[in-house]
Amino acid sequence: MSFISSIRYIKPDMHRAFVAERLKALKHQLDQEIRDTTGAASLRLATWNLMHFSDGGAYDRTTESLLYIAEIIDHFDLVAIQEVNHDLRKFELLMQRYLGGDWDYILTDASGNRERLAFVYRKAKVRFLREAGEIVLPEGQEIVAPDQENATRKLQFARTPFAVTFQAGWFRFKLCTVHIYYGKSADSSPEMDLRRNEIEKIAVFLANVQKAEKRSSGTDANMILLGDFNIVSPEHRTMKALLDAGFVTTEGIRDAASSLSGKHHYDQIVFKLGEKRVKLGASGVLDIFKSVYRSEDAEHYAREADIRKITHGRDGEPRDEEQAMTYFRRYYRKHQLSDHNLLWCEVKTDFSGHYLDAVAAGHDPRKM
């Protein structure tokens, strides 16, 4: 964790000491919630919408926030990240200086809203199997959306899903990440219909890919679909679109809201596993503001932190302390971390015991 040394760039000294304490608290939180609840041989998988990452302006991450982001990612093995911006300077800084040579990444070009989708992975635990692609729906399977004249249009995804094949331990799987269209949130709106249709189309597409691989090669493909689906609730038709295609989620994720308000279940990790020997373990939502950028830290940032965006408005005029504290709570901390909590799941990837049991019993372990 050599990236910790970057803390020396934080000014003034009093704020640097404060950040050190918050970073220690974050490490303790992550150790308790992630490392202490998962097996060392397991794949620790996560998805995180990082809110306009590398977008500059209000969203320009400081050294402090990059330390926190790197610490969070470093407690997992494979993280799907949504809303990586077209400008990759801060993303590459995160990968090269903060996460370093133990990590690698794969990302898309910029599509809808000039956003990229990315997978970052720990090379000692995860292997990229040289298969990657953005998903374009075949003719006849496009998304159907009403236009203003009540006719219909055939569309592709607003932000193209990204699928990659990885292997972790004995576990080979296709991982697809999405950032589904949002639009208006009224349940009766055409935008909500479009949102639901995008979810249905990607889920059905991957289910069909799994069937095709079974027919062509006889292999039991493992599909994992994750990202920001903008799902309203576990009971909503947006979630039903996922489940109807045969995907399942875990108990720790099913009722866990990923929005900061705790009201919405935007982010999801769902599975359609061909191999019976694959077991899922612990899972849940990480409260990103439990240890850092806490609401109770607002006074410190308004008084002690030399961060002009908090203490001064866009017009350059100083904010009073109460205004600065309000800005920190409502805007600044979300711009530095995210407006989404991180969602995660453990996948147990050591099948050696199962394999040896099958061999000892005289069975073909590939068919067990």
Side-chain angles (χ1 to χ4, degrees):
M1 294 189 182
S2 59
F3 65 82
I4 295 296
S5 63
S6 294
I7 199 171
R8 68 184 185 276
Y9 298 117
I10 296 174
K11 304 292 182 183
D13 293 351
M14 184 175 293
H15 185 54
R16 187 190 309 132
F18 175 85
V19 172
E21 289 298 325
R22 292 297 90 224
L23 194 55
K24 286 168 58 180
L26 178 61
K27 288 166 66 68
H28 179 70
Q29 176 193 352
L30 290 162
D31 285 343
Q32 280 195 319
E33 296 183 19
I34 310 302
R35 289 194 174 152
D36 291 352
T37 62
T38 57
S42 296
L43 172 69
R44 295 164 177 146
L45 175 67
T47 182
W48 197 9
N49 181 324
L50 264 180
M51 191 180 183
H52 303 308
F53 190 72
S54 291
D55 198 32
Y59 304 99
D60 188 24
R61 266 62 171 193
T62 63
T63 297
E64 177 183 0
S65 70
L66 289 174
L67 282 168
Y68 298 151
I69 291 168
E71 187 65 51
I72 290 170
I73 291 174
D74 196 52
H75 276 73
F76 298 93
D77 303 310
L78 174 55
V79 182
I81 300 176
Q82 300 85 45
E83 290 199 23
V84 176
N85 197 252
H86 69 288
D87 183 344
L88 291 174
R89 283 175 291 183
K90 279 292 171 74
F91 178 80
E92 290 174 345
L93 182 65
L94 172 69
M95 297 304 305
Q96 294 167 12
R97 177 188 292 177
Y98 290 83
L99 290 171
D102 293 340
W103 287 79
D104 207 343
Y105 65 90
I106 308 167
L107 50 75
T108 66
D109 58 357
S111 60
N113 287 357
R114 300 198 302 173
E115 291 178 22
R116 304 175 188 267
L117 297 169
F119 293 115
V120 302
Y121 60 97
R122 191 188 306 276
K123 293 187 289 186
K125 291 287 289 290
V126 178
R127 184 156 56 100
F128 168 46
L129 296 184
R130 310 295 180 191
E131 181 179 283
E134 295 176 284
I135 293 177
V136 177
L137 294 170
E139 185 176 355
Q141 298 180 32
E142 300 96 336
I143 300 156
V144 176
D147 65 16
Q148 292 180 352
E149 286 76 33
N150 294 320
T152 58
R153 295 173 293 155
K154 293 183 178 181
L155 305 174
Q156 292 292 331
F157 297 99
R159 290 171 285 233
T160 310
F162 185 39
V164 174
T165 302
F166 290 107
Q167 183 154 344
W170 293 66
F171 180 48
R172 178 189 173 105
F173 57 101
K174 188 181 294 293
L175 185 64
C176 181
T177 186
V178 299
H179 188 184
I180 295 297
Y181 176 80
Y182 185 79
K184 295 179 181 178
S185 57
D187 202 48
S188 59
S189 67
E191 288 85 355
M192 182 60 76
D193 289 338
L194 181 55
R195 189 193 310 187
R196 192 259 178 211
N197 288 342
E198 280 203 359
I199 296 170
E200 178 188 40
K201 290 295 184 180
I202 187 60
V204 169
F205 178 88
L206 291 176
N208 288 337
V209 168
Q210 186 186 55
K211 292 176 185 176
E213 290 193 10
K214 179 69 172 180
R215 288 194 301 267
S216 62
S217 65
T219 58
D220 292 313
N222 300 302
M223 299 289 177
I224 306 177
L225 178 55
L226 79 179
D228 180 359
F229 293 84
N230 284 309
I231 283 174
V232 178
S233 73
E235 300 77 28
H236 195 264
R237 60 191 175 113
T238 45
M239 187 65 185
K240 190 173 184 295
L242 273 180
L243 303 181
D244 284 352
F247 284 86
V248 299
T249 188
T250 69
E251 188 174 331
I253 291 173
R254 185 178 298 109
D255 297 319
S258 59
S259 66
L260 299 183
S261 68
K263 296 179 180 179
H264 301 292
H265 296 67
Y266 295 140
D267 307 276
Q268 293 289 328
I269 305 175
V270 293
F271 302 85
K272 201 172 192 311
L273 302 173
E275 290 186 275
K276 295 179 181 178
R277 59 186 179 172
V278 181
K279 303 298 180 186
L280 304 178
S283 60
V285 172
L286 181 75
D287 180 354
I288 61 172
F289 294 128
K290 181 177 179 180
S291 300
V292 298
Y293 294 134
R294 302 170 301 170
S295 181
E296 60 263 40
D297 296 333
E299 185 175 352
H300 166 84
Y301 283 89
R303 289 184 174 182
E304 307 294 346
D306 186 19
I307 302 173
R308 190 171 181 84
K309 286 180 183 177
I310 297 174
T311 57
H312 289 69
R314 290 184 179 181
D315 57 4
E317 292 298 313
R319 293 187 173 102
D320 63 34
E321 186 174 314
E322 195 61 39
Q323 290 171 331
M325 290 169 63
T326 298
Y327 179 79
F328 168 83
R329 292 190 181 107
R330 290 184 180 176
Y331 303 106
Y332 181 80
R333 60 181 183 162
K334 290 194 294 185
H335 294 174
Q336 290 301 308
L337 281 187
S338 183
D339 59 347
H340 288 243
N341 284 316
L342 175 145
L343 197 68
W344 66 276
C345 182
E346 173 191 19
V347 184
K348 299 180 181 181
T349 59
D350 183 1
F351 306 157
S352 57
H354 184 281
Y355 189 92
L356 293 173
D357 287 343
V359 173
H363 302 302
D364 183 345
R366 294 170 298 178
K367 297 180 180 180
M368 297 296 291

PDB file of all heavy atoms in Angstrom, residues 288-314:
ATOM      1  N   ILE A 288     -20.143   4.248   2.224  1.00  0.00           N
ATOM      2  CA  ILE A 288     -18.879   4.928   1.922  1.00  0.00           C
ATOM      3  C   ILE A 288     -18.619   6.124   2.826  1.00  0.00           C
ATOM      4  O   ILE A 288     -17.483   6.599   2.910  1.00  0.00           O
ATOM      5  CB  ILE A 288     -18.811   5.347   0.442  1.00  0.00           C
ATOM      6  CG1 ILE A 288     -19.940   6.334   0.092  1.00  0.00           C
ATOM      7  CG2 ILE A 288     -18.856   4.128  -0.470  1.00  0.00           C
ATOM      8  CD1 ILE A 288     -19.821   6.931  -1.310  1.00  0.00           C
ATOM      9  N   PHE A 289     -19.656   6.636   3.498  1.00  0.00           N
ATOM     10  CA  PHE A 289     -19.471   7.787   4.378  1.00  0.00           C
ATOM     11  C   PHE A 289     -19.526   7.422   5.860  1.00  0.00           C
ATOM     12  O   PHE A 289     -19.688   8.285   6.707  1.00  0.00           O
ATOM     13  CB  PHE A 289     -20.519   8.861   4.066  1.00  0.00           C
ATOM     14  CG  PHE A 289     -20.372   9.470   2.699  1.00  0.00           C
ATOM     15  CD1 PHE A 289     -21.449   9.520   1.828  1.00  0.00           C
ATOM     16  CD2 PHE A 289     -19.162   9.985   2.279  1.00  0.00           C
ATOM     17  CE1 PHE A 289     -21.325  10.073   0.562  1.00  0.00           C
ATOM     18  CE2 PHE A 289     -19.015  10.539   1.024  1.00  0.00           C
ATOM     19  CZ  PHE A 289     -20.098  10.584   0.150  1.00  0.00           C
ATOM     20  N   LYS A 290     -19.357   6.166   6.163  1.00  0.00           N
ATOM     21  CA  LYS A 290     -19.355   5.742   7.561  1.00  0.00           C
ATOM     22  C   LYS A 290     -18.086   6.195   8.283  1.00  0.00           C
ATOM     23  O   LYS A 290     -18.123   6.545   9.467  1.00  0.00           O
ATOM     24  CB  LYS A 290     -19.478   4.220   7.642  1.00  0.00           C
ATOM     25  CG  LYS A 290     -19.499   3.661   9.055  1.00  0.00           C
ATOM     26  CD  LYS A 290     -19.684   2.158   9.054  1.00  0.00           C
ATOM     27  CE  LYS A 290     -19.680   1.594  10.466  1.00  0.00           C
ATOM     28  NZ  LYS A 290     -19.875   0.108  10.454  1.00  0.00           N
ATOM     29  N   SER A 291     -16.953   6.205   7.579  1.00  0.00           N
ATOM     30  CA  SER A 291     -15.662   6.516   8.206  1.00  0.00           C
ATOM     31  C   SER A 291     -15.000   7.770   7.670  1.00  0.00           C
ATOM     32  O   SER A 291     -14.175   8.367   8.348  1.00  0.00           O
ATOM     33  CB  SER A 291     -14.702   5.331   8.017  1.00  0.00           C
ATOM     34  OG  SER A 291     -15.205   4.157   8.604  1.00  0.00           O
ATOM     35  N   VAL A 292     -15.333   8.168   6.438  1.00  0.00           N
ATOM     36  CA  VAL A 292     -14.703   9.347   5.834  1.00  0.00           C
ATOM     37  C   VAL A 292     -15.784  10.290   5.311  1.00  0.00           C
ATOM     38  O   VAL A 292     -16.893   9.861   4.992  1.00  0.00           O
ATOM     39  CB  VAL A 292     -13.746   8.948   4.694  1.00  0.00           C
ATOM     40  CG1 VAL A 292     -12.620   8.071   5.232  1.00  0.00           C
ATOM     41  CG2 VAL A 292     -14.474   8.220   3.568  1.00  0.00           C
ATOM     42  N   TYR A 293     -15.432  11.580   5.259  1.00  0.00           N
ATOM     43  CA  TYR A 293     -16.388  12.598   4.817  1.00  0.00           C
ATOM     44  C   TYR A 293     -17.728  12.452   5.547  1.00  0.00           C
ATOM     45  O   TYR A 293     -18.804  12.588   4.948  1.00  0.00           O
ATOM     46  CB  TYR A 293     -16.610  12.521   3.306  1.00  0.00           C
ATOM     47  CG  TYR A 293     -15.407  12.880   2.463  1.00  0.00           C
ATOM     48  CD1 TYR A 293     -15.032  12.083   1.388  1.00  0.00           C
ATOM     49  CD2 TYR A 293     -14.659  14.035   2.714  1.00  0.00           C
ATOM     50  CE1 TYR A 293     -13.943  12.409   0.581  1.00  0.00           C
ATOM     51  CE2 TYR A 293     -13.569  14.371   1.927  1.00  0.00           C
ATOM     52  CZ  TYR A 293     -13.217  13.555   0.865  1.00  0.00           C
ATOM     53  OH  TYR A 293     -12.138  13.889   0.084  1.00  0.00           O
ATOM     54  N   ARG A 294     -17.654  12.179   6.834  1.00  0.00           N
ATOM     55  CA  ARG A 294     -18.872  11.996   7.627  1.00  0.00           C
ATOM     56  C   ARG A 294     -19.601  13.328   7.805  1.00  0.00           C
ATOM     57  O   ARG A 294     -18.989  14.397   7.729  1.00  0.00           O
ATOM     58  CB  ARG A 294     -18.521  11.421   8.999  1.00  0.00           C
ATOM     59  CG  ARG A 294     -17.771  10.099   8.968  1.00  0.00           C
ATOM     60  CD  ARG A 294     -17.257   9.741  10.343  1.00  0.00           C
ATOM     61  NE  ARG A 294     -16.372  10.779  10.861  1.00  0.00           N
ATOM     62  CZ  ARG A 294     -15.916  10.838  12.118  1.00  0.00           C
ATOM     63  NH1 ARG A 294     -16.293   9.921  12.995  1.00  0.00           N
ATOM     64  NH2 ARG A 294     -15.122  11.821  12.484  1.00  0.00           N
ATOM     65  N   SER A 295     -20.884  13.246   8.064  1.00  0.00           N
ATOM     66  CA  SER A 295     -21.663  14.457   8.293  1.00  0.00           C
ATOM     67  C   SER A 295     -21.083  15.263   9.454  1.00  0.00           C
ATOM     68  O   SER A 295     -21.012  16.495   9.401  1.00  0.00           O
ATOM     69  CB  SER A 295     -23.119  14.099   8.573  1.00  0.00           C
ATOM     70  OG  SER A 295     -23.887  15.265   8.764  1.00  0.00           O
ATOM     71  N   GLU A 296     -20.646  14.561  10.502  1.00  0.00           N
ATOM     72  CA  GLU A 296     -20.094  15.258  11.676  1.00  0.00           C
ATOM     73  C   GLU A 296     -18.726  15.871  11.416  1.00  0.00           C
ATOM     74  O   GLU A 296     -18.204  16.609  12.250  1.00  0.00           O
ATOM     75  CB  GLU A 296     -20.023  14.305  12.874  1.00  0.00           C
ATOM     76  CG  GLU A 296     -19.158  13.072  12.689  1.00  0.00           C
ATOM     77  CD  GLU A 296     -19.979  11.867  12.290  1.00  0.00           C
ATOM     78  OE1 GLU A 296     -20.921  12.017  11.474  1.00  0.00           O
ATOM     79  OE2 GLU A 296     -19.666  10.765  12.787  1.00  0.00           O
ATOM     80  N   ASP A 297     -18.119  15.593  10.258  1.00  0.00           N
ATOM     81  CA  ASP A 297     -16.826  16.192   9.917  1.00  0.00           C
ATOM     82  C   ASP A 297     -16.980  17.558   9.261  1.00  0.00           C
ATOM     83  O   ASP A 297     -15.979  18.220   8.968  1.00  0.00           O
ATOM     84  CB  ASP A 297     -16.052  15.275   8.962  1.00  0.00           C
ATOM     85  CG  ASP A 297     -15.690  13.938   9.585  1.00  0.00           C
ATOM     86  OD1 ASP A 297     -15.552  13.893  10.830  1.00  0.00           O
ATOM     87  OD2 ASP A 297     -15.538  12.951   8.840  1.00  0.00           O
ATOM     88  N   ALA A 298     -18.199  17.984   9.015  1.00  0.00           N
ATOM     89  CA  ALA A 298     -18.426  19.218   8.265  1.00  0.00           C
ATOM     90  C   ALA A 298     -17.744  20.417   8.915  1.00  0.00           C
ATOM     91  O   ALA A 298     -17.176  21.268   8.227  1.00  0.00           O
ATOM     92  CB  ALA A 298     -19.923  19.474   8.118  1.00  0.00           C
ATOM     93  N   GLU A 299     -17.792  20.486  10.239  1.00  0.00           N
ATOM     94  CA  GLU A 299     -17.184  21.634  10.925  1.00  0.00           C
ATOM     95  C   GLU A 299     -15.685  21.681  10.684  1.00  0.00           C
ATOM     96  O   GLU A 299     -15.109  22.759  10.478  1.00  0.00           O
ATOM     97  CB  GLU A 299     -17.484  21.550  12.427  1.00  0.00           C
ATOM     98  CG  GLU A 299     -16.994  22.771  13.200  1.00  0.00           C
ATOM     99  CD  GLU A 299     -17.408  22.722  14.665  1.00  0.00           C
ATOM    100  OE1 GLU A 299     -18.205  21.828  15.036  1.00  0.00           O
ATOM    101  OE2 GLU A 299     -16.935  23.579  15.433  1.00  0.00           O
ATOM    102  N   HIS A 300     -15.040  20.514  10.719  1.00  0.00           N
ATOM    103  CA  HIS A 300     -13.593  20.488  10.459  1.00  0.00           C
ATOM    104  C   HIS A 300     -13.290  21.041   9.069  1.00  0.00           C
ATOM    105  O   HIS A 300     -12.370  21.859   8.902  1.00  0.00           O
ATOM    106  CB  HIS A 300     -13.048  19.061  10.582  1.00  0.00           C
ATOM    107  CG  HIS A 300     -11.672  18.912  10.022  1.00  0.00           C
ATOM    108  ND1 HIS A 300     -10.540  19.218  10.752  1.00  0.00           N
ATOM    109  CD2 HIS A 300     -11.233  18.524   8.783  1.00  0.00           C
ATOM    110  CE1 HIS A 300      -9.469  19.025  10.001  1.00  0.00           C
ATOM    111  NE2 HIS A 300      -9.862  18.599   8.803  1.00  0.00           N
ATOM    112  N   TYR A 301     -14.027  20.594   8.058  1.00  0.00           N
ATOM    113  CA  TYR A 301     -13.746  21.038   6.693  1.00  0.00           C
ATOM    114  C   TYR A 301     -14.032  22.527   6.525  1.00  0.00           C
ATOM    115  O   TYR A 301     -13.330  23.233   5.788  1.00  0.00           O
ATOM    116  CB  TYR A 301     -14.559  20.206   5.702  1.00  0.00           C
ATOM    117  CG  TYR A 301     -13.974  18.832   5.488  1.00  0.00           C
ATOM    118  CD1 TYR A 301     -14.348  17.766   6.306  1.00  0.00           C
ATOM    119  CD2 TYR A 301     -13.024  18.597   4.495  1.00  0.00           C
ATOM    120  CE1 TYR A 301     -13.802  16.498   6.131  1.00  0.00           C
ATOM    121  CE2 TYR A 301     -12.464  17.340   4.323  1.00  0.00           C
ATOM    122  CZ  TYR A 301     -12.857  16.292   5.144  1.00  0.00           C
ATOM    123  OH  TYR A 301     -12.302  15.042   4.979  1.00  0.00           O
ATOM    124  N   ALA A 302     -15.050  23.016   7.200  1.00  0.00           N
ATOM    125  CA  ALA A 302     -15.383  24.438   7.091  1.00  0.00           C
ATOM    126  C   ALA A 302     -14.354  25.318   7.786  1.00  0.00           C
ATOM    127  O   ALA A 302     -14.135  26.464   7.385  1.00  0.00           O
ATOM    128  CB  ALA A 302     -16.764  24.688   7.688  1.00  0.00           C
ATOM    129  N   ARG A 303     -13.680  24.782   8.825  1.00  0.00           N
ATOM    130  CA  ARG A 303     -12.752  25.602   9.622  1.00  0.00           C
ATOM    131  C   ARG A 303     -11.283  25.333   9.326  1.00  0.00           C
ATOM    132  O   ARG A 303     -10.478  26.255   9.242  1.00  0.00           O
ATOM    133  CB  ARG A 303     -12.992  25.348  11.121  1.00  0.00           C
ATOM    134  CG  ARG A 303     -14.277  25.923  11.653  1.00  0.00           C
ATOM    135  CD  ARG A 303     -14.366  25.691  13.153  1.00  0.00           C
ATOM    136  NE  ARG A 303     -15.530  26.353  13.737  1.00  0.00           N
ATOM    137  CZ  ARG A 303     -15.827  26.338  15.026  1.00  0.00           C
ATOM    138  NH1 ARG A 303     -15.055  25.668  15.886  1.00  0.00           N
ATOM    139  NH2 ARG A 303     -16.900  26.968  15.473  1.00  0.00           N
ATOM    140  N   GLU A 304     -10.940  24.038   9.185  1.00  0.00           N
ATOM    141  CA  GLU A 304      -9.533  23.664   9.179  1.00  0.00           C
ATOM    142  C   GLU A 304      -8.989  23.286   7.807  1.00  0.00           C
ATOM    143  O   GLU A 304      -7.815  23.469   7.530  1.00  0.00           O
ATOM    144  CB  GLU A 304      -9.292  22.481  10.135  1.00  0.00           C
ATOM    145  CG  GLU A 304      -9.817  22.699  11.537  1.00  0.00           C
ATOM    146  CD  GLU A 304      -9.100  23.808  12.283  1.00  0.00           C
ATOM    147  OE1 GLU A 304      -8.033  24.236  11.818  1.00  0.00           O
ATOM    148  OE2 GLU A 304      -9.623  24.253  13.315  1.00  0.00           O
ATOM    149  N   ALA A 305      -9.825  22.690   6.968  1.00  0.00           N
ATOM    150  CA  ALA A 305      -9.330  22.207   5.681  1.00  0.00           C
ATOM    151  C   ALA A 305      -9.167  23.364   4.709  1.00  0.00           C
ATOM    152  O   ALA A 305     -10.078  24.169   4.547  1.00  0.00           O
ATOM    153  CB  ALA A 305     -10.281  21.164   5.112  1.00  0.00           C
ATOM    154  N   ASP A 306      -8.015  23.428   4.061  1.00  0.00           N
ATOM    155  CA  ASP A 306      -7.748  24.497   3.100  1.00  0.00           C
ATOM    156  C   ASP A 306      -8.271  24.077   1.725  1.00  0.00           C
ATOM    157  O   ASP A 306      -7.515  23.832   0.794  1.00  0.00           O
ATOM    158  CB  ASP A 306      -6.246  24.767   3.047  1.00  0.00           C
ATOM    159  CG  ASP A 306      -5.913  25.968   2.177  1.00  0.00           C
ATOM    160  OD1 ASP A 306      -6.827  26.778   1.929  1.00  0.00           O
ATOM    161  OD2 ASP A 306      -4.762  26.066   1.723  1.00  0.00           O
ATOM    162  N   ILE A 307      -9.593  23.948   1.631  1.00  0.00           N
ATOM    163  CA  ILE A 307     -10.231  23.516   0.384  1.00  0.00           C
ATOM    164  C   ILE A 307     -11.181  24.627  -0.042  1.00  0.00           C
ATOM    165  O   ILE A 307     -12.252  24.805   0.517  1.00  0.00           O
ATOM    166  CB  ILE A 307     -10.986  22.183   0.570  1.00  0.00           C
ATOM    167  CG1 ILE A 307     -10.013  21.087   1.055  1.00  0.00           C
ATOM    168  CG2 ILE A 307     -11.632  21.751  -0.752  1.00  0.00           C
ATOM    169  CD1 ILE A 307     -10.686  19.794   1.415  1.00  0.00           C
ATOM    170  N   ARG A 308     -10.783  25.390  -1.033  1.00  0.00           N
ATOM    171  CA  ARG A 308     -11.495  26.613  -1.393  1.00  0.00           C
ATOM    172  C   ARG A 308     -12.916  26.344  -1.865  1.00  0.00           C
ATOM    173  O   ARG A 308     -13.816  27.163  -1.670  1.00  0.00           O
ATOM    174  CB  ARG A 308     -10.703  27.356  -2.470  1.00  0.00           C
ATOM    175  CG  ARG A 308     -11.229  28.760  -2.740  1.00  0.00           C
ATOM    176  CD  ARG A 308     -10.308  29.545  -3.637  1.00  0.00           C
ATOM    177  NE  ARG A 308     -10.828  30.876  -3.863  1.00  0.00           N
ATOM    178  CZ  ARG A 308     -10.657  31.916  -3.056  1.00  0.00           C
ATOM    179  NH1 ARG A 308      -9.972  31.751  -1.947  1.00  0.00           N
ATOM    180  NH2 ARG A 308     -11.166  33.106  -3.343  1.00  0.00           N
ATOM    181  N   LYS A 309     -13.147  25.187  -2.466  1.00  0.00           N
ATOM    182  CA  LYS A 309     -14.488  24.880  -2.963  1.00  0.00           C
ATOM    183  C   LYS A 309     -15.504  24.825  -1.836  1.00  0.00           C
ATOM    184  O   LYS A 309     -16.690  25.029  -2.057  1.00  0.00           O
ATOM    185  CB  LYS A 309     -14.471  23.553  -3.718  1.00  0.00           C
ATOM    186  CG  LYS A 309     -13.823  23.645  -5.084  1.00  0.00           C
ATOM    187  CD  LYS A 309     -13.834  22.296  -5.762  1.00  0.00           C
ATOM    188  CE  LYS A 309     -13.129  22.369  -7.111  1.00  0.00           C
ATOM    189  NZ  LYS A 309     -13.054  21.049  -7.771  1.00  0.00           N
ATOM    190  N   ILE A 310     -15.051  24.504  -0.639  1.00  0.00           N
ATOM    191  CA  ILE A 310     -15.951  24.444   0.505  1.00  0.00           C
ATOM    192  C   ILE A 310     -16.139  25.823   1.119  1.00  0.00           C
ATOM    193  O   ILE A 310     -17.250  26.230   1.438  1.00  0.00           O
ATOM    194  CB  ILE A 310     -15.424  23.465   1.570  1.00  0.00           C
ATOM    195  CG1 ILE A 310     -15.365  22.048   0.996  1.00  0.00           C
ATOM    196  CG2 ILE A 310     -16.293  23.491   2.822  1.00  0.00           C
ATOM    197  CD1 ILE A 310     -14.723  21.053   1.923  1.00  0.00           C
ATOM    198  N   THR A 311     -15.050  26.527   1.279  1.00  0.00           N
ATOM    199  CA  THR A 311     -15.088  27.785   2.027  1.00  0.00           C
ATOM    200  C   THR A 311     -15.458  29.000   1.184  1.00  0.00           C
ATOM    201  O   THR A 311     -15.727  30.066   1.739  1.00  0.00           O
ATOM    202  CB  THR A 311     -13.720  28.041   2.692  1.00  0.00           C
ATOM    203  OG1 THR A 311     -12.690  28.047   1.682  1.00  0.00           O
ATOM    204  CG2 THR A 311     -13.399  26.943   3.700  1.00  0.00           C
ATOM    205  N   HIS A 312     -15.469  28.833  -0.162  1.00  0.00           N
ATOM    206  CA  HIS A 312     -15.812  29.952  -1.042  1.00  0.00           C
ATOM    207  C   HIS A 312     -16.812  29.489  -2.099  1.00  0.00           C
ATOM    208  O   HIS A 312     -16.736  28.363  -2.592  1.00  0.00           O
ATOM    209  CB  HIS A 312     -14.570  30.511  -1.745  1.00  0.00           C
ATOM    210  CG  HIS A 312     -13.655  31.249  -0.830  1.00  0.00           C
ATOM    211  ND1 HIS A 312     -12.924  30.621   0.155  1.00  0.00           N
ATOM    212  CD2 HIS A 312     -13.354  32.570  -0.729  1.00  0.00           C
ATOM    213  CE1 HIS A 312     -12.200  31.513   0.815  1.00  0.00           C
ATOM    214  NE2 HIS A 312     -12.452  32.701   0.301  1.00  0.00           N
ATOM    215  N   GLY A 313     -17.736  30.365  -2.469  1.00  0.00           N
ATOM    216  CA  GLY A 313     -18.711  30.054  -3.498  1.00  0.00           C
ATOM    217  C   GLY A 313     -18.145  30.202  -4.889  1.00  0.00           C
ATOM    218  O   GLY A 313     -16.978  30.582  -5.075  1.00  0.00           O
ATOM    219  N   ARG A 314     -18.971  29.939  -5.906  1.00  0.00           N
ATOM    220  CA  ARG A 314     -18.528  30.049  -7.291  1.00  0.00           C
ATOM    221  C   ARG A 314     -18.129  31.471  -7.656  1.00  0.00           C
ATOM    222  O   ARG A 314     -17.304  31.702  -8.539  1.00  0.00           O
ATOM    223  CB  ARG A 314     -19.640  29.579  -8.232  1.00  0.00           C
ATOM    224  CG  ARG A 314     -19.893  28.083  -8.190  1.00  0.00           C
ATOM    225  CD  ARG A 314     -20.941  27.693  -9.220  1.00  0.00           C
ATOM    226  NE  ARG A 314     -21.193  26.261  -9.214  1.00  0.00           N
ATOM    227  CZ  ARG A 314     -22.050  25.657 -10.017  1.00  0.00           C
ATOM    228  NH1 ARG A 314     -22.752  26.375 -10.889  1.00  0.00           N
ATOM    229  NH2 ARG A 314     -22.220  24.349  -9.956  1.00  0.00           N
TER     230      ARG A 314
END
